[in-house]
Amino acid sequence: YYYGTHFEKAYQALETISASGVLSILDSLRKKFPKNSIPKREEPLQNMLDDMEERGVDFEKEDERFYSVGEKELHRCLLSFVKENQKHFR
């Protein structure tokens, strides 16, 4: 939320588990940022979020999408991935 360091890693992980609905939410979030780029460091990210808030940019739609369908999809995809790849887990 406040820290973009793991955005790309999370995106790649979601691609790996085929969580296309959650990826769609992240794509929508990324498009709201200037140059489609989310700062990796906390301070620049917070400054950008503050600026975006002043300009009326909000993330409510994405929050609603995540909590209505994305969270369930994430759990389902993760469980499927683990089941399909059990030999790689101890």
Coordinates of all heavy atoms in Angstrom, one line a residue:
Y1 N 0.8 -1.2 0.0 CA 0.0 0.0 0.0 C 0.9 1.2 0.0 O 0.8 2.1 -0.9 CB -0.9 -0.1 1.2 CG -1.8 1.2 1.4 CD1 -3.0 1.3 0.7 CD2 -1.3 2.2 2.2 CE1 -3.7 2.5 0.9 CE2 -2.1 3.3 2.4 CZ -3.3 3.5 1.7 OH -4.0 4.6 1.9
Y2 N 1.7 1.4 1.0 CA 2.6 2.6 1.1 C 3.9 2.4 0.5 O 4.8 3.2 0.5 CB 2.7 3.1 2.5 CG 1.6 3.8 3.0 CD1 0.7 3.2 3.9 CD2 1.3 5.1 2.6 CE1 -0.4 3.9 4.4 CE2 0.2 5.8 3.1 CZ -0.6 5.2 4.0 OH -1.7 5.9 4.5
Y3 N 4.2 1.2 0.0 CA 5.6 0.9 -0.4 C 5.5 0.1 -1.7 O 5.0 -1.0 -1.8 CB 6.2 0.0 0.7 CG 7.7 0.1 0.8 CD1 8.3 1.3 0.9 CD2 8.4 -1.0 0.9 CE1 9.7 1.4 1.0 CE2 9.8 -1.0 1.1 CZ 10.4 0.2 1.1 OH 11.8 0.3 1.2
G4 N 6.1 0.7 -2.7 CA 6.1 0.1 -4.1 C 7.2 -0.8 -4.4 O 7.3 -1.4 -5.5
T5 N 8.1 -1.1 -3.4 CA 9.2 -2.0 -3.7 C 8.8 -3.3 -4.2 O 9.5 -3.9 -5.1 CB 10.0 -2.2 -2.4 OG1 10.5 -0.9 -1.9 CG2 11.2 -3.1 -2.6
H6 N 7.7 -3.9 -3.7 CA 7.4 -5.2 -4.1 C 6.3 -5.3 -5.2 O 5.8 -6.4 -5.5 CB 6.9 -6.0 -2.9 CG 8.0 -6.0 -1.8 ND1 9.2 -6.7 -1.9 CD2 8.0 -5.3 -0.6 CE1 9.9 -6.5 -0.9 NE2 9.3 -5.7 0.0
F7 N 5.9 -4.2 -5.7 CA 4.8 -4.2 -6.7 C 5.1 -5.1 -7.9 O 4.3 -6.0 -8.2 CB 4.5 -2.8 -7.2 CG 3.3 -2.7 -8.2 CD1 2.1 -2.5 -7.7 CD2 3.5 -2.9 -9.5 CE1 1.0 -2.5 -8.5 CE2 2.4 -2.8 -10.4 CZ 1.1 -2.6 -9.9
E8 N 6.3 -5.0 -8.5 CA 6.7 -5.8 -9.7 C 6.8 -7.3 -9.3 O 6.4 -8.1 -10.0 CB 7.9 -5.3 -10.3 CG 7.7 -3.9 -11.0 CD 6.6 -3.9 -12.1 OE1 6.4 -4.9 -12.8 OE2 6.0 -2.9 -12.2
K9 N 7.4 -7.5 -8.1 CA 7.5 -8.9 -7.7 C 6.1 -9.5 -7.4 O 5.9 -10.7 -7.8 CB 8.3 -9.0 -6.4 CG 9.8 -8.8 -6.7 CD 10.6 -8.9 -5.4 CE 12.1 -8.5 -5.7 NZ 12.9 -8.6 -4.4
A10 N 5.2 -8.8 -6.8 CA 3.9 -9.3 -6.6 C 3.2 -9.5 -7.9 O 2.5 -10.5 -8.1 CB 3.1 -8.3 -5.7
Y11 N 3.4 -8.6 -8.9 CA 2.8 -8.7 -10.2 C 3.2 -10.0 -10.8 O 2.4 -10.8 -11.4 CB 3.1 -7.5 -11.0 CG 2.3 -7.3 -12.3 CD1 1.1 -6.6 -12.2 CD2 2.6 -8.0 -13.4 CE1 0.3 -6.4 -13.4 CE2 1.8 -7.9 -14.6 CZ 0.7 -7.1 -14.5 OH -0.1 -7.0 -15.7
Q12 N 4.5 -10.3 -10.8 CA 5.1 -11.5 -11.4 C 4.5 -12.7 -10.7 O 4.2 -13.7 -11.4 CB 6.6 -11.4 -11.4 CG 7.2 -10.4 -12.3 CD 8.7 -10.2 -12.0 OE1 9.3 -10.8 -11.1 NE2 9.3 -9.4 -12.8
A13 N 4.4 -12.7 -9.4 CA 3.9 -13.8 -8.6 C 2.4 -14.1 -9.0 O 2.0 -15.2 -9.2 CB 4.0 -13.6 -7.1
L14 N 1.7 -13.0 -9.2 CA 0.3 -13.2 -9.6 C 0.2 -13.8 -11.0 O -0.7 -14.6 -11.3 CB -0.5 -11.8 -9.5 CG -0.7 -11.3 -8.1 CD1 -1.1 -9.9 -8.1 CD2 -1.7 -12.2 -7.4
E15 N 1.1 -13.4 -11.9 CA 1.2 -14.0 -13.2 C 1.4 -15.5 -13.1 O 0.8 -16.3 -13.8 CB 2.2 -13.3 -14.1 CG 1.9 -12.0 -14.6 CD 2.9 -11.3 -15.4 OE1 4.1 -11.4 -15.1 OE2 2.6 -10.7 -16.4
T16 N 2.4 -15.8 -12.2 CA 2.7 -17.2 -12.1 C 1.6 -18.1 -11.6 O 1.4 -19.2 -12.1 CB 3.9 -17.4 -11.0 OG1 5.0 -16.6 -11.5 CG2 4.3 -18.8 -10.8
I17 N 0.7 -17.6 -10.7 CA -0.4 -18.3 -10.2 C -1.7 -18.1 -11.1 O -2.7 -18.6 -10.7 CB -0.7 -18.1 -8.7 CG1 -1.1 -16.7 -8.4 CG2 0.5 -18.5 -7.9 CD1 -1.6 -16.4 -7.0
S18 N -1.6 -17.4 -12.1 CA -2.7 -17.1 -13.1 C -3.8 -16.4 -12.4 O -5.0 -16.7 -12.7 CB -3.1 -18.4 -13.7 OG -2.1 -19.0 -14.4
A19 N -3.6 -15.4 -11.6 CA -4.6 -14.6 -11.0 C -4.9 -13.4 -11.8 O -4.7 -12.2 -11.5 CB -4.1 -14.2 -9.6
S20 N -5.6 -13.6 -13.0 CA -5.8 -12.6 -14.0 C -6.7 -11.5 -13.5 O -6.5 -10.3 -13.8 CB -6.4 -13.2 -15.2 OG -7.6 -13.9 -15.0
G21 N -7.7 -11.8 -12.6 CA -8.5 -10.7 -12.1 C -7.8 -9.8 -11.2 O -8.0 -8.6 -11.3
V22 N -6.9 -10.3 -10.4 CA -6.1 -9.4 -9.5 C -5.1 -8.7 -10.3 O -4.8 -7.5 -10.1 CB -5.4 -10.3 -8.4 CG1 -4.6 -9.4 -7.5 CG2 -6.4 -11.0 -7.5
L23 N -4.5 -9.3 -11.3 CA -3.6 -8.6 -12.2 C -4.3 -7.4 -12.9 O -3.8 -6.3 -13.1 CB -3.1 -9.5 -13.3 CG -2.0 -10.5 -12.8 CD1 -1.8 -11.6 -13.9 CD2 -0.8 -9.8 -12.5
S24 N -5.6 -7.6 -13.3 CA -6.4 -6.5 -13.9 C -6.5 -5.3 -12.9 O -6.4 -4.2 -13.3 CB -7.7 -7.1 -14.3 OG -8.6 -6.0 -14.7
I25 N -6.7 -5.7 -11.6 CA -6.8 -4.6 -10.6 C -5.5 -3.9 -10.5 O -5.4 -2.6 -10.5 CB -7.2 -5.2 -9.3 CG1 -8.6 -5.8 -9.3 CG2 -7.1 -4.1 -8.2 CD1 -9.0 -6.6 -8.1
L26 N -4.4 -4.6 -10.5 CA -3.1 -4.0 -10.4 C -2.8 -3.1 -11.7 O -2.2 -2.0 -11.6 CB -1.9 -5.0 -10.2 CG -1.9 -5.7 -8.8 CD1 -0.7 -6.6 -8.7 CD2 -2.0 -4.7 -7.7
D27 N -3.2 -3.6 -12.8 CA -3.0 -2.8 -14.1 C -3.8 -1.5 -13.9 O -3.3 -0.4 -14.3 CB -3.5 -3.6 -15.3 CG -2.6 -4.7 -15.7 OD1 -1.4 -4.6 -15.4 OD2 -3.1 -5.7 -16.3
S28 N -5.0 -1.6 -13.4 CA -5.8 -0.4 -13.2 C -5.1 0.6 -12.3 O -5.1 1.8 -12.5 CB -7.2 -0.8 -12.7 OG -8.0 0.4 -12.5
L29 N -4.5 0.1 -11.2 CA -3.8 0.9 -10.2 C -2.6 1.6 -10.9 O -2.4 2.8 -10.7 CB -3.3 0.1 -9.0 CG -4.4 -0.4 -8.1 CD1 -3.8 -1.4 -7.1 CD2 -5.0 0.8 -7.3
R30 N -1.8 0.8 -11.6 CA -0.6 1.3 -12.2 C -0.9 2.4 -13.2 O -0.2 3.4 -13.3 CB 0.1 0.2 -13.0 CG 1.4 0.6 -13.5 CD 2.1 -0.4 -14.5 NE 1.9 -1.8 -14.2 CZ 2.9 -2.6 -13.8 NH1 4.1 -2.1 -13.7 NH2 2.6 -3.9 -13.6
K31 N -2.0 2.3 -13.9 CA -2.4 3.3 -14.9 C -2.7 4.7 -14.3 O -2.7 5.7 -14.9 CB -3.6 2.9 -15.8 CG -3.2 1.8 -16.7 CD -4.4 1.3 -17.5 CE -4.0 0.1 -18.4 NZ -5.2 -0.5 -19.0
K32 N -3.0 4.7 -13.0 CA -3.4 5.9 -12.3 C -2.1 6.7 -12.0 O -2.2 7.9 -11.7 CB -4.2 5.6 -11.1 CG -5.6 5.2 -11.4 CD -6.4 5.0 -10.1 CE -7.8 4.7 -10.6 NZ -8.8 4.8 -9.5
F33 N -1.0 6.1 -12.0 CA 0.3 6.7 -11.6 C 0.9 7.4 -12.8 O 0.8 6.9 -13.9 CB 1.3 5.7 -11.0 CG 1.0 5.4 -9.6 CD1 0.0 4.4 -9.3 CD2 1.6 6.0 -8.6 CE1 -0.3 4.1 -8.0 CE2 1.3 5.7 -7.2 CZ 0.4 4.7 -7.0
P34 N 1.6 8.5 -12.6 CA 2.3 9.2 -13.8 C 3.2 8.2 -14.4 O 4.0 7.5 -13.7 CB 3.0 10.4 -13.1 CG 2.2 10.6 -11.8 CD 1.7 9.3 -11.4
K35 N 3.2 8.2 -15.7 CA 4.1 7.3 -16.5 C 3.9 5.8 -16.2 O 4.8 5.0 -16.4 CB 5.6 7.7 -16.3 CG 5.9 9.1 -16.7 CD 7.3 9.4 -16.5 CE 7.6 10.9 -16.9 NZ 9.0 11.3 -16.6
N36 N 2.8 5.5 -15.6 CA 2.5 4.1 -15.2 C 3.6 3.5 -14.3 O 3.8 2.3 -14.4 CB 2.3 3.2 -16.4 CG 1.0 3.6 -17.2 OD1 0.1 4.1 -16.7 ND2 1.1 3.4 -18.5
S37 N 4.2 4.3 -13.5 CA 5.3 3.9 -12.7 C 5.0 4.2 -11.2 O 4.7 5.3 -10.8 CB 6.5 4.6 -13.1 OG 7.6 4.2 -12.3
I38 N 5.1 3.1 -10.4 CA 4.9 3.2 -8.9 C 6.3 3.3 -8.3 O 7.1 2.4 -8.4 CB 4.1 2.0 -8.4 CG1 2.7 2.0 -9.1 CG2 4.0 2.1 -6.9 CD1 1.9 0.8 -8.8
P39 N 6.5 4.4 -7.6 CA 7.9 4.6 -6.9 C 8.1 3.4 -5.9 O 7.2 3.0 -5.2 CB 7.7 5.9 -6.1 CG 6.7 6.7 -6.9 CD 5.7 5.6 -7.4
K40 N 9.4 3.0 -5.9 CA 9.8 1.9 -5.0 C 10.1 2.4 -3.6 O 9.9 1.6 -2.7 CB 11.0 1.2 -5.6 CG 10.7 0.5 -6.9 CD 11.9 -0.2 -7.4 CE 11.8 -0.9 -8.7 NZ 10.6 -1.5 -9.1
R41 N 10.5 3.6 -3.4 CA 10.8 4.1 -2.1 C 9.6 4.7 -1.4 O 8.7 5.3 -2.1 CB 12.0 5.0 -2.1 CG 13.3 4.4 -2.6 CD 14.5 5.2 -2.4 NE 14.2 6.6 -2.1 CZ 14.5 7.7 -2.8 NH1 15.2 7.5 -3.9 NH2 14.2 8.9 -2.5
E42 N 9.5 4.6 -0.1 CA 8.3 5.0 0.6 C 8.0 6.5 0.5 O 6.9 6.9 0.3 CB 8.4 4.6 2.1 CG 7.2 4.9 2.9 CD 7.3 4.4 4.3 OE1 8.3 3.9 4.7 OE2 6.3 4.6 5.0
E43 N 9.1 7.3 0.7 CA 8.8 8.8 0.7 C 8.3 9.3 -0.6 O 7.3 10.0 -0.7 CB 10.1 9.5 1.2 CG 9.8 11.0 1.4 CD 11.1 11.7 1.9 OE1 11.9 11.1 2.5 OE2 11.1 12.9 1.7
P44 N 9.0 9.0 -1.7 CA 8.5 9.4 -3.0 C 7.1 8.9 -3.3 O 6.2 9.6 -3.9 CB 9.5 8.9 -4.0 CG 10.7 8.7 -3.3 CD 10.3 8.3 -1.9
L45 N 6.8 7.7 -2.9 CA 5.5 7.1 -3.1 C 4.5 7.9 -2.3 O 3.4 8.2 -2.9 CB 5.5 5.6 -2.8 CG 4.1 5.0 -2.9 CD1 3.5 5.1 -4.3 CD2 4.2 3.5 -2.5
Q46 N 4.7 8.2 -1.1 CA 3.8 8.9 -0.2 C 3.6 10.3 -0.8 O 2.4 10.8 -0.8 CB 4.3 9.0 1.2 CG 3.2 9.6 2.1 CD 1.9 8.8 2.1 OE1 1.9 7.6 2.3 NE2 0.8 9.5 1.8
N47 N 4.6 10.9 -1.3 CA 4.5 12.3 -1.9 C 3.6 12.2 -3.1 O 2.7 13.1 -3.3 CB 5.8 12.9 -2.2 CG 6.6 13.2 -1.0 OD1 6.1 13.4 0.1 ND2 7.9 13.3 -1.2
M48 N 3.8 11.2 -3.9 CA 3.0 11.0 -5.1 C 1.5 10.8 -4.8 O 0.6 11.3 -5.4 CB 3.5 9.9 -6.0 CG 2.8 9.9 -7.4 SD 3.6 8.6 -8.4 CE 5.1 9.5 -8.9
L49 N 1.3 9.9 -3.8 CA -0.1 9.6 -3.3 C -0.8 10.9 -2.8 O -1.9 11.1 -3.1 CB -0.1 8.5 -2.3 CG 0.3 7.1 -2.8 CD1 0.4 6.1 -1.6 CD2 -0.8 6.6 -3.7
D50 N 0.0 11.7 -2.1 CA -0.6 12.9 -1.5 C -1.0 13.8 -2.7 O -2.1 14.4 -2.7 CB 0.4 13.6 -0.6 CG 0.6 12.9 0.7 OD1 -0.2 12.0 1.0 OD2 1.6 13.2 1.4
D51 N -0.1 13.9 -3.7 CA -0.4 14.8 -4.8 C -1.6 14.2 -5.6 O -2.5 15.0 -6.0 CB 0.8 14.8 -5.8 CG 0.6 15.7 -7.0 OD1 0.3 16.9 -6.8 OD2 0.8 15.1 -8.1
M52 N -1.7 12.9 -5.8 CA -2.8 12.3 -6.5 C -4.1 12.6 -5.7 O -5.1 12.8 -6.4 CB -2.5 10.8 -6.7 CG -1.4 10.6 -7.6 SD -0.8 8.8 -7.6 CE -2.2 8.1 -8.5
E53 N -4.0 12.5 -4.4 CA -5.2 12.7 -3.6 C -5.7 14.1 -3.8 O -6.9 14.4 -3.9 CB -5.0 12.4 -2.1 CG -6.2 12.6 -1.3 CD -5.9 12.3 0.2 OE1 -4.7 11.9 0.5 OE2 -6.8 12.4 1.0
E54 N -4.8 15.1 -3.8 CA -5.1 16.5 -4.0 C -5.8 16.7 -5.4 O -6.7 17.6 -5.5 CB -3.9 17.4 -3.9 CG -3.4 17.6 -2.5 CD -2.1 18.4 -2.4 OE1 -1.8 19.1 -3.4 OE2 -1.5 18.3 -1.4
R55 N -5.4 15.9 -6.4 CA -6.0 16.0 -7.7 C -7.3 15.2 -7.9 O -7.8 15.1 -8.9 CB -5.0 15.6 -8.8 CG -3.8 16.6 -8.9 CD -2.8 16.2 -10.0 NE -2.1 15.0 -9.7 CZ -2.0 13.9 -10.4 NH1 -2.7 13.8 -11.5 NH2 -1.3 12.9 -10.0
G56 N -7.7 14.5 -6.8 CA -8.9 13.8 -6.8 C -8.8 12.4 -7.3 O -9.8 11.7 -7.6
V57 N -7.6 11.9 -7.4 CA -7.4 10.5 -7.8 C -7.6 9.6 -6.6 O -7.1 9.8 -5.6 CB -6.0 10.2 -8.4 CG1 -5.7 8.8 -8.7 CG2 -5.7 11.1 -9.6
D58 N -8.5 8.6 -6.8 CA -8.7 7.7 -5.6 C -8.6 6.3 -6.1 O -8.5 6.0 -7.3 CB -10.1 8.0 -4.9 CG -11.2 7.5 -5.8 OD1 -11.3 6.4 -6.3 OD2 -12.2 8.3 -5.9
F59 N -8.6 5.4 -5.2 CA -8.4 4.0 -5.4 C -9.6 3.1 -4.9 O -9.4 1.9 -4.8 CB -7.1 3.5 -4.8 CG -5.9 4.2 -5.3 CD1 -5.3 5.3 -4.5 CD2 -5.3 3.9 -6.5 CE1 -4.2 6.0 -5.0 CE2 -4.2 4.6 -7.0 CZ -3.7 5.7 -6.2
E60 N -10.7 3.8 -4.7 CA -11.8 3.1 -4.1 C -12.4 2.0 -5.0 O -12.7 0.9 -4.6 CB -12.9 4.1 -3.8 CG -14.1 3.5 -3.1 CD -14.6 4.3 -2.0 OE1 -13.9 5.3 -1.5 OE2 -15.6 4.0 -1.5
K61 N -12.4 2.3 -6.3 CA -12.9 1.3 -7.3 C -12.1 0.0 -7.2 O -12.6 -1.1 -7.2 CB -12.9 1.9 -8.7 CG -13.3 0.9 -9.8 CD -13.3 1.6 -11.1 CE -13.3 0.7 -12.3 NZ -13.1 1.3 -13.6
E62 N -10.8 0.2 -7.2 CA -9.9 -1.0 -7.1 C -10.0 -1.7 -5.8 O -10.0 -3.0 -5.7 CB -8.4 -0.6 -7.4 CG -8.1 -0.1 -8.8 CD -8.6 1.3 -9.1 OE1 -8.9 2.1 -8.2 OE2 -8.6 1.7 -10.3
D63 N -10.1 -1.0 -4.7 CA -10.4 -1.6 -3.4 C -11.6 -2.4 -3.4 O -11.6 -3.6 -2.9 CB -10.5 -0.5 -2.3 CG -9.2 0.0 -1.8 OD1 -8.1 -0.6 -2.1 OD2 -9.2 1.0 -1.1
E64 N -12.7 -1.9 -3.9 CA -14.0 -2.6 -4.0 C -13.8 -3.9 -4.8 O -14.3 -4.9 -4.5 CB -15.1 -1.7 -4.5 CG -15.5 -0.6 -3.6 CD -16.5 0.4 -4.2 OE1 -17.0 0.1 -5.3 OE2 -16.8 1.4 -3.6
R65 N -13.2 -3.7 -6.0 CA -13.0 -4.9 -6.9 C -12.2 -6.0 -6.1 O -12.5 -7.2 -6.2 CB -12.3 -4.5 -8.2 CG -13.2 -3.8 -9.1 CD -12.5 -3.4 -10.4 NE -11.8 -4.5 -11.1 CZ -10.8 -4.3 -11.9 NH1 -10.3 -3.1 -12.1 NH2 -10.2 -5.3 -12.5
F66 N -11.1 -5.6 -5.4 CA -10.3 -6.6 -4.7 C -11.1 -7.3 -3.7 O -11.1 -8.5 -3.6 CB -9.0 -5.9 -4.1 CG -8.2 -6.9 -3.4 CD1 -7.4 -7.8 -4.1 CD2 -8.2 -7.0 -2.0 CE1 -6.6 -8.8 -3.5 CE2 -7.5 -8.0 -1.4 CZ -6.7 -8.9 -2.1
Y67 N -11.8 -6.5 -2.8 CA -12.5 -7.2 -1.7 C -13.8 -7.9 -2.2 O -14.2 -8.8 -1.5 CB -12.8 -6.1 -0.6 CG -11.5 -5.7 0.1 CD1 -11.0 -4.5 0.0 CD2 -10.8 -6.7 0.8 CE1 -9.9 -4.1 0.6 CE2 -9.6 -6.3 1.4 CZ -9.2 -5.0 1.3 OH -8.0 -4.7 2.0
S68 N -14.3 -7.6 -3.3 CA -15.5 -8.3 -3.8 C -15.2 -9.6 -4.5 O -15.8 -10.6 -4.4 CB -16.4 -7.4 -4.6 OG -15.8 -7.1 -5.8
V69 N -14.1 -9.5 -5.4 CA -13.8 -10.7 -6.2 C -12.3 -11.1 -6.1 O -11.9 -12.2 -6.2 CB -14.3 -10.6 -7.6 CG1 -15.8 -10.6 -7.7 CG2 -13.6 -9.4 -8.3
G70 N -11.4 -10.1 -6.1 CA -10.0 -10.3 -6.2 C -9.4 -11.2 -5.1 O -8.6 -12.1 -5.3
E71 N -9.9 -10.9 -3.9 CA -9.4 -11.7 -2.7 C -9.7 -13.1 -2.8 O -8.9 -14.0 -2.6 CB -9.9 -11.1 -1.4 CG -9.3 -11.6 -0.2 CD -9.8 -10.8 1.1 OE1 -11.0 -10.4 1.1 OE2 -9.0 -10.7 2.0
K72 N -10.9 -13.5 -3.2 CA -11.3 -14.9 -3.4 C -10.5 -15.5 -4.5 O -10.1 -16.7 -4.4 CB -12.8 -14.9 -3.7 CG -13.7 -14.6 -2.5 CD -15.1 -14.5 -2.9 CE -15.9 -13.9 -1.7 NZ -17.1 -13.3 -2.2
E73 N -10.3 -14.8 -5.6 CA -9.6 -15.3 -6.7 C -8.1 -15.6 -6.3 O -7.5 -16.6 -6.6 CB -9.5 -14.4 -7.9 CG -8.7 -14.9 -9.0 CD -8.4 -13.9 -10.1 OE1 -7.9 -12.8 -9.8 OE2 -8.6 -14.3 -11.3
L74 N -7.6 -14.7 -5.5 CA -6.2 -14.8 -5.1 C -6.1 -16.1 -4.2 O -5.1 -16.9 -4.4 CB -5.8 -13.6 -4.2 CG -4.4 -13.6 -3.7 CD1 -3.4 -13.6 -4.8 CD2 -4.2 -12.3 -2.9
H75 N -7.0 -16.3 -3.3 CA -6.9 -17.6 -2.5 C -7.1 -18.8 -3.4 O -6.3 -19.8 -3.2 CB -8.0 -17.5 -1.4 CG -7.7 -16.5 -0.3 ND1 -8.7 -15.8 0.2 CD2 -6.6 -16.2 0.3 CE1 -8.2 -15.0 1.1 NE2 -6.9 -15.2 1.2
R76 N -8.0 -18.8 -4.3 CA -8.3 -19.9 -5.2 C -7.1 -20.2 -6.0 O -6.6 -21.4 -6.1 CB -9.5 -19.7 -6.0 CG -9.8 -20.8 -7.0 CD -11.0 -20.5 -7.9 NE -11.0 -19.2 -8.5 CZ -10.2 -18.9 -9.6 NH1 -9.5 -19.9 -10.1 NH2 -10.3 -17.8 -10.2
C77 N -6.5 -19.2 -6.6 CA -5.3 -19.4 -7.5 C -4.1 -19.9 -6.7 O -3.3 -20.7 -7.2 CB -5.0 -18.1 -8.3 SG -6.2 -17.7 -9.5
L78 N -3.9 -19.3 -5.6 CA -2.8 -19.7 -4.7 C -2.9 -21.2 -4.3 O -1.9 -22.0 -4.4 CB -2.6 -18.8 -3.5 CG -1.4 -19.0 -2.6 CD1 -0.1 -18.9 -3.4 CD2 -1.5 -18.1 -1.5
L79 N -4.1 -21.6 -3.9 CA -4.3 -23.0 -3.5 C -4.1 -23.9 -4.7 O -3.5 -25.0 -4.5 CB -5.7 -23.2 -2.9 CG -5.8 -22.6 -1.5 CD1 -7.3 -22.7 -1.0 CD2 -5.0 -23.3 -0.5
S80 N -4.6 -23.6 -5.8 CA -4.4 -24.4 -7.0 C -2.9 -24.5 -7.4 O -2.5 -25.6 -7.7 CB -5.1 -23.7 -8.2 OG -6.3 -24.2 -8.4
F81 N -2.2 -23.4 -7.3 CA -0.8 -23.4 -7.6 C 0.0 -24.3 -6.7 O 0.8 -25.1 -7.1 CB -0.2 -22.0 -7.6 CG 1.3 -22.0 -7.9 CD1 1.7 -22.0 -9.2 CD2 2.2 -21.9 -6.9 CE1 3.0 -21.9 -9.5 CE2 3.6 -21.9 -7.2 CZ 4.0 -21.9 -8.5
V82 N -0.3 -24.3 -5.4 CA 0.4 -25.1 -4.4 C 0.0 -26.6 -4.7 O 0.9 -27.4 -4.7 CB 0.0 -24.7 -3.0 CG1 0.5 -25.7 -2.0 CG2 0.6 -23.3 -2.7
K83 N -1.2 -26.9 -4.9 CA -1.6 -28.3 -5.2 C -0.9 -28.8 -6.4 O -0.4 -29.9 -6.4 CB -3.1 -28.4 -5.4 CG -3.9 -28.3 -4.1 CD -5.4 -28.4 -4.4 CE -6.2 -28.3 -3.2 NZ -7.7 -28.3 -3.5
E84 N -0.8 -28.0 -7.5 CA -0.2 -28.4 -8.7 C 1.3 -28.5 -8.6 O 2.0 -29.2 -9.4 CB -0.5 -27.5 -9.8 CG -2.0 -27.5 -10.2 CD -2.4 -26.4 -11.2 OE1 -1.5 -25.7 -11.7 OE2 -3.6 -26.2 -11.4
N85 N 1.9 -27.9 -7.6 CA 3.4 -27.9 -7.5 C 3.8 -28.4 -6.1 O 4.9 -27.9 -5.6 CB 3.9 -26.4 -7.7 CG 3.6 -25.9 -9.1 OD1 4.4 -26.3 -10.0 ND2 2.5 -25.2 -9.3
Q86 N 3.1 -29.3 -5.5 CA 3.4 -29.8 -4.2 C 4.8 -30.3 -4.1 O 5.5 -30.2 -3.0 CB 2.5 -31.0 -3.9 CG 1.1 -30.5 -3.5 CD 0.2 -31.7 -3.1 OE1 0.7 -32.7 -2.6 NE2 -1.1 -31.6 -3.3
K87 N 5.4 -30.9 -5.1 CA 6.7 -31.5 -5.0 C 7.8 -30.4 -4.8 O 8.9 -30.7 -4.3 CB 7.1 -32.2 -6.3 CG 7.1 -31.4 -7.5 CD 7.4 -32.2 -8.8 CE 7.3 -31.3 -10.0 NZ 7.2 -32.1 -11.2
H88 N 7.5 -29.1 -5.0 CA 8.4 -28.0 -4.8 C 8.3 -27.4 -3.4 O 9.1 -26.5 -3.1 CB 8.2 -26.9 -5.8 CG 8.4 -27.4 -7.2 ND1 9.6 -27.7 -7.7 CD2 7.5 -27.6 -8.2 CE1 9.5 -28.1 -9.0 NE2 8.2 -28.1 -9.3
F89 N 7.3 -27.9 -2.6 CA 7.1 -27.4 -1.3 C 7.5 -28.5 -0.3 O 7.3 -29.7 -0.5 CB 5.7 -27.0 -1.0 CG 5.3 -25.8 -1.9 CD1 4.7 -26.0 -3.1 CD2 5.5 -24.5 -1.5 CE1 4.3 -25.0 -4.0 CE2 5.1 -23.5 -2.3 CZ 4.5 -23.7 -3.5
R90 N 8.0 -28.1 0.9 CA 8.3 -29.1 1.9 C 7.2 -29.1 3.0 O 6.6 -28.2 3.3 CB 9.6 -28.9 2.5 CG 10.7 -29.1 1.6 CD 12.1 -28.9 2.3 NE 13.1 -29.1 1.3 CZ 14.2 -29.7 1.6 NH1 14.4 -30.2 2.7 NH2 15.1 -29.8 0.7

